Amino acid sequence: MCSSKSESATGANLTLVLAILAIAIGYMLNPVNGSLVVTAYPTMADYFQVPYAHMSTMIMLFMAATAAAQPLSGGLGDIFGRKNVFLLGVLGFMVASVFAGLAGSFVMLVFWRMAQAVFSGLILANGVALVALVAPRERAGSYLGVLNSAMTGAAALGFPAGGMILHAFDWHMLFWINIPFGLASLLLGIFYLPGDKSGTAKFTSLSFIGLPLVPLAFVLQAIIRRESTLPYLVLLFLAVAIWLYSFLRSNSSRAQLATINNRQFNLSCIATFFTAIVQFGIIFTMPAWILVSLGIGTGLLGVYFMISSVCMLVISPIVGRYLDNHDARWVKLLALTVMLAELLILLLALNTLSLAVAMVFHGLALAIIYLLAQRSAFLVAPSQSQALAMGLFSSFRAFGSLLGNALAAVILAQYAEVTAEAGREVMFYIAVLCFWPIALALVLLTSNKAEAKP
């Protein structure tokens, strides 16, 4: 009898591990592909014969499409089943990766990157919500920490791996390497992710809240390229007006928003938004900036980025377990201290040693702030709208990523070529514009353990 119970418990634990693994591998497709291609930005700019600042087109439209897709994907998951939509996202991401690697022009590369973004929206919005189906909610911090750790661990390997792949092959392989990971997530998900009931939430105009970000990305690109913004501003105005009209006319949309529109959720989104600006403004600036300011090439730069990701890998599960059982105020203080130290180092005292220290601080700050915000948003979202809520939350992160790239690109575009002075100017504006909103949002977030909503 005892043996039978023990075997049953072991089988249940194995199923849980494999289900979390399926989610984690799928969840990391977006960030690992992002880290693989970071060190290749200068190479790809040369290959397609575009100015380095114009590489932001690929990045910003990817982020805009991700932000637009995630609330929509969350709504689809709440209706058609989170497992089904998650698996569709993994499959679609693999197909888009194949064609991105085959792109013969910069325009086609941007198109397939946007397709990757749309399918990754299906993955990201429903991946976190699937955690609620396979893991106890009272251990949400621990499991989200493991999920974030898997993402950052893969990204950590992606930075140096990208440099090595680029050295041994060419940039095309950076996209095709996604295929085996996608297959692993797809097969594990088919067999070990539990099916969930469909039709538990209404699909409303709230799910389309991110769509105006796509014309916004074109507006920002026109500014960077010093082209006319008028046609894109018209499209942006129309997109916002149409969405607002449909939202205000829909009682179900307003009711759906009311279930997640609370202080904790909103503060979590604000913290994530500004943290993403910091993260992606720095990531876009560094490949060219560090090359000219410190003479560090793509391979070694990948190692420095890996330092940051390894710190995130190590700290995420530790902080997750701590938050499940303790007050968060000291964790908040640690995060803000190391983020401020990182920004000051990059702005005032950059050399090879201080860059390594800054990357340690970068990883610690991002891991803690993202986990604090994600855990808070996750626990206050009602289960019947959880995929939509996490889609909205992830859209704020993607929106911040978009603006972080835009901020860096606009500043760098003012220079004929990237210089040490240009990079320091980016760091200055990131520090001035982003640190204080992050600090305020974290201070106002409830410090005690959050209670999950049924």
Side-chain angles (χ1 to χ4, degrees):
M1 183 74 172
C2 291
S3 175
S4 177
K5 288 183 178 180
S6 176
E7 291 176 0
S8 177
T10 301
N13 289 335
L14 179 60
T15 298
L16 173 60
V17 169
L18 292 174
I20 292 293
L21 185 61
I23 298 169
I25 296 174
Y27 208 73
M28 75 185 188
L29 287 173
N30 182 305
V32 74
N33 187 245
S35 67
L36 280 170
V37 302
V38 163
T39 54
Y41 289 164
T43 300
M44 296 169 76
D46 289 340
Y47 181 89
F48 290 108
Q49 298 183 334
V50 296
Y52 183 78
H54 291 189
M55 286 298 294
S56 62
T57 302
M58 181 180 73
I59 305 161
M60 291 170 59
L61 290 177
F62 179 86
M63 296 301 175
T66 300
Q70 289 191 75
L72 185 60
S73 303
L76 290 171
D78 286 331
I79 293 175
F80 297 110
R82 294 156 193 177
K83 174 181 177 178
N84 296 332
V85 177
F86 175 86
L87 294 178
L88 176 62
V90 173
L91 179 61
F93 192 92
M94 292 165 57
V95 173
S97 297
V98 171
F99 284 101
L102 293 172
S105 68
F106 188 60
V107 172
M108 290 307 300
L109 177 63
V110 170
F111 174 82
W112 288 112
R113 282 291 280 168
M114 291 182 70
Q116 281 185 313
V118 171
F119 286 111
S120 70
L122 302 181
I123 297 169
L124 296 174
N126 291 280
V128 176
L130 279 169
V131 172
L133 297 178
V134 300
R137 286 177 67 89
E138 65 273 10
R139 307 302 299 171
S142 298
Y143 285 102
L144 289 174
V146 170
L147 190 62
N148 288 340
S149 184
M151 289 173 57
T152 54
L157 294 175
F159 287 119
M164 290 186 289
I165 291 172
L166 194 62
H167 178 74
F169 302 98
D170 55 30
W171 65 267
H172 306 80
M173 188 60 68
L174 299 175
F175 293 97
W176 295 335
I177 199 69
N178 294 317
I179 306 306
F181 294 105
L183 284 173
S185 177
L186 192 65
L187 292 174
L188 286 171
I190 289 171
F191 290 107
Y192 294 103
L193 285 177
D196 53 324
K197 294 180 179 180
S198 59
T200 57
K202 292 182 178 180
F203 194 64
T204 70
S205 58
L206 187 60
S207 299
F208 296 89
I209 192 173
L211 290 182
L213 295 180
V214 176
L216 173 62
F218 282 102
V219 170
L220 295 172
Q221 277 302 302
I223 293 172
I224 293 168
R225 294 171 179 266
R226 300 181 183 180
E227 300 172 348
S228 173
T229 60
L230 182 59
Y232 304 118
L233 285 172
V234 171
L235 288 175
L236 176 60
F237 174 79
L238 289 175
V240 172
I242 291 170
W243 182 83
L244 278 175
Y245 177 79
S246 62
F247 175 75
L248 294 174
R249 293 273 296 178
S250 172
N251 292 330
S252 58
S253 293
R254 296 197 302 275
Q256 194 174 44
L257 179 61
T259 64
I260 56 177
N261 183 22
N262 58 72
R263 182 173 177 267
Q264 286 289 96
F265 186 83
N266 295 336
L267 288 172
S268 299
C269 291
I270 291 170
T272 292
F273 170 75
F274 283 101
T275 302
I277 294 178
V278 173
Q279 179 184 8
F280 285 87
I282 290 174
I283 283 178
F284 180 71
T285 303
M286 274 195 169
W289 177 43
I290 297 301
L291 177 64
V292 298
S293 59
L294 299 181
I296 294 176
T298 56
L300 187 55
L301 180 60
V303 174
Y304 279 98
F305 277 133
M306 184 179 71
I307 292 172
S308 171
S309 295
V310 167
C311 290
M312 294 180 72
L313 168 68
V314 172
I315 200 67
S316 289
I318 295 173
V319 173
R321 287 194 296 271
Y322 181 89
L323 291 175
D324 283 334
N325 298 287
H326 299 88
D327 187 273
R329 63 170 59 95
W330 294 111
V331 177
K332 296 177 185 178
L333 180 61
L334 174 62
L336 293 174
T337 300
V338 296
M339 175 171 278
L340 181 60
E342 170 210 354
L343 294 173
L344 290 175
I345 288 172
L346 293 176
L347 184 61
L348 302 174
L350 189 65
N351 55 54
T352 53
L353 178 59
S354 67
L355 177 60
V357 174
M359 289 297 94
V360 171
F361 290 165
H362 185 71
L364 292 176
L366 293 180
I368 296 171
I369 295 172
Y370 279 143
L371 187 56
L372 278 166
Q374 186 181 50
R375 179 181 180 276
S376 178
F378 178 81
L379 289 176
V380 299
S383 58
Q384 67 270 19
S385 297
Q386 199 164 61
L388 174 63
M390 298 317 298
L392 288 170
F393 173 83
S394 296
S395 283
F396 274 88
R397 181 169 176 172
F399 186 24
S401 305
L402 167 67
L403 292 188
N405 278 287
L407 174 64
V410 166
I411 294 170
L412 295 179
Q414 307 307 308
Y415 294 79
E417 59 183 22
V418 179
T419 64
E421 180 186 355
R424 283 194 296 270
E425 186 175 346
V426 174
M427 297 306 132
F428 172 78
Y429 279 103
I430 286 175
V432 170
L433 296 175
C434 299
F435 178 76
W436 300 111
I438 294 170
L440 183 61
L442 290 188
V443 168
L444 294 176
L445 269 176
T446 302
S447 295
N448 295 325
K449 293 192 298 178
E451 296 295 331
K453 287 192 175 184

